[in-house]
Amino acid sequence: SGAALWRYLPSEPMSLRGAPELSAPEVAAALAPGEVFGVSEERRVDGTLFLALSDGRGWAISATPGLGTLCTPQGRQSACRARGTAGSGDEFADGDVASSAVEPTPPARPMC
């Protein structure tokens, strides 16, 4: 198993926080629209779900009563991808490779 993967849904960037609190100061990092990111910890505080990014950039707000759902789970990051040995970065968590080809593609090769 690896880090849980989540996707940030809104069309505007979200500044990350330094702690899992709505009142916590924002850090310099942000999530980009559509970004998929690893999560090392989930913490619910007063109805708001916070996600600690596994790369250490900060805490994201996943869901809060006032804003609704901002991030959704995407599965788990494979061990080889976590080690940075994956191919082009277009791999899904289960090892399949994204393809825009219309024709059927051969089975994905192992990424490690």
Side-chain angles (χ1 to χ4, degrees):
S1 79
L5 293 176
W6 288 70
R7 179 182 302 272
Y8 176 62
L9 301 173
S11 59
E12 296 293 324
M14 173 178 35
S15 296
L16 299 174
R17 288 177 162 53
E21 301 171 6
L22 290 174
S23 61
E26 294 179 351
V27 297
L31 289 177
E35 181 175 349
V36 174
F37 56 97
V39 171
S40 59
E41 182 181 350
E42 299 174 25
R43 193 177 301 174
R44 188 169 299 278
V45 179
D46 297 328
T48 298
L49 179 60
F50 292 92
L51 307 171
L53 275 64
S54 59
D55 61 10
R57 288 185 287 165
W59 290 83
I61 298 171
S62 172
T64 186
L67 298 174
T69 300
L70 303 175
C71 303
T72 59
Q74 301 293 301
R76 300 202 74 75
Q77 185 175 26
S78 68
C80 62
R81 188 166 180 191
R83 289 194 309 267
T85 58
S88 66
D90 291 334
E91 299 81 19
F92 295 107
D94 63 2
D96 289 339
V97 177
S99 174
S100 59
V102 175
E103 299 176 15
T105 57
R109 68 187 187 289
M111 298 310 301
C112 297

